[in-house]
Amino acid sequence: MSLLTELARDYQAGRTQGITSVCSAHPSVIRATLREGLRTNTVVLIEATCNQVNHEGGYTGMRPADFRRFVEGIAAEVGFDTTKLILGGDHLGPNPWRSLPAEEALAKAEIMVAAYVAAGFTKIHLDASMGCAGEPEGLDDETTAHRAARLAKVAEATAKADGLTLPVYIIGTEVPTPGGALHDLDDVPPTHADAAKKTIATHRRVFAEAGLTEAFGRVIGLVVQPGVEFGHDKVVVYRPERARELIAVLGDETQFVFEAHSTDYQPEAALATLVRDGFPILKVGPGLTFALRQTLYGLDLIASELDASYGDRALANAMEALMLAEPNYWQRYYPGTPDEQHVLRHYSYSDRIRYYWPHEQAERAVAKLMATLKGRTIPEPLVAQFLPEDAEAVRSGECAATAEALLERGVTRMLQLYGRACRPG
């Protein structure tokens, strides 16, 4: 926790330090994250979103306490010290229930926030910016701040009643649809400096009026748009010159840093510059499961070459059948002809295929793949052909030529890129 509370102080002192926020519930991603944290002896931040994990189960079927047990179980498996683990709740607010009237949705959000805090989540992103039934899609700062303060009051009371560590908070929400933009990306302007100042000032006043001045002292960051985004097939790379006025806000608001969402697929140099410019919390989710899917599909092709009984691309075919049978997670997000939708289902940067990996049919297909390759040393030329980014590591002995090692390496490569950006030198 001290790492998070020191981010603003370090930034003001000119010390470049960041932290990767891993937003995923996939066990392979969590395992790779904790192993990398063990290897580098660093604090690990893992966050769950309100849709993914909530008191009603979310789309993972996990409540906050379940998610904590899930992560800590993997930590025990890999030998990671959980005193170096920070759990966060992302976009905690009424979003999962926004089809309900505001009062009903907020009542559910209160229960959810209490469940997160009671489960030991200590980084809480308060996000009540979305309209509920009969309201505009996006709410004004005043309404958003009042609702955020209402949720903070619940968080504070829960932590104090249970004798738990008081949480740190993130406010603000200038981000697109979770999982990437739905429209064509030509330009993504950074948040206007005046808008960032207004968000901070409004929340500070409203929290004070609600008797939450001490809690507001633990607001460590503001979500803003630095001018980065990804869509189905395009990435908008950070351009620091466009965010200069926004960055200057931190010169006056020394309590805060910025939290950068949707940093997936940014080049390493751009990530490092974000950290340098006051965006030291780098959130990544789809980029990690995209890397996982890349490796699984490479192994799928390798298995097809090594074992005729496995079939031709058995995993990819199984995932296609599953997504066609249950299109609810992709259909309204992926436009185009049937052929264009096919490509997006499997290869879009928004990676909506990630919602299908917990499905029993997908788990069976992955298990079949891994069983086919279990105990085999994969010939180096096949690694070079189907997983070229890992060929050098296999050749040098850095990575074993096994399905298990290669699967973890796909995610670890991405984590290491973020690690270098957060810890230059």
Side-chain angles (χ1 to χ4, degrees), residues 378-393:
I378 298 173
E380 189 181 308
L382 288 183
V383 177
Q385 178 65 35
F386 298 115
L387 295 170
E389 289 186 87
D390 301 315
E392 184 177 341

Side-chain angles (χ1 to χ4, degrees), residues 140-142 193-203:
D140 59 85
D141 273 328
E142 188 77 18
D194 289 343
K197 291 176 184 176
K198 183 182 177 185
T199 296
I200 293 172
T202 304
H203 279 72

Side-chain angles (χ1 to χ4, degrees), residues 74-94:
I74 298 174
E77 173 193 322
V78 305
F80 182 81
D81 179 1
T82 54
T83 63
K84 295 182 177 179
L85 172 66
I86 300 172
L87 292 179
D90 198 23
H91 294 289
L92 299 193

Side-chain angles (χ1 to χ4, degrees), residues 92 103 106-118 121 124 126 146-162 164-167 169 207 210-212 215 218:
L92 299 193
E103 188 56 38
L106 284 164
K108 287 180 177 288
E110 287 180 321
I111 298 171
M112 175 181 65
V113 167
Y116 266 89
V117 174
F121 287 67
I124 302 296
L126 300 169
H146 278 282
R147 293 180 180 182
R150 175 174 169 175
L151 297 177
K153 185 167 285 190
V154 170
E156 293 289 294
T158 302
K160 290 173 182 175
D162 294 349
L164 299 170
T165 301
L166 293 170
Y169 298 104
F207 271 56
L212 293 168
R218 280 180 272 108

Side-chain angles (χ1 to χ4, degrees), residues 9 61 65 70 78 101 131-132 136 144 158 188 205 243 270 285 299 303 308 339 360 376-377 379 391 407 411 413:
R9 189 181 315 149
F70 163 68
V78 305
C132 298
T144 298
T158 302
V188 179
R205 172 178 54 79
L299 293 171
D339 284 345
E360 182 183 357
R376 292 179 185 260
T377 297
L407 185 59
V411 177
R413 268 192 288 104

Side-chain angles (χ1 to χ4, degrees), residues 317-331 345-346 356 359 361:
N317 290 332
M319 296 306 291
E320 174 74 348
L322 172 58
M323 288 187 286
L324 288 175
E326 301 185 16
N328 52 308
Y329 285 123
W330 64 265
Q331 196 166 51
R345 279 194 296 274
H346 295 271
Y356 294 88
H359 195 286
Q361 186 175 326

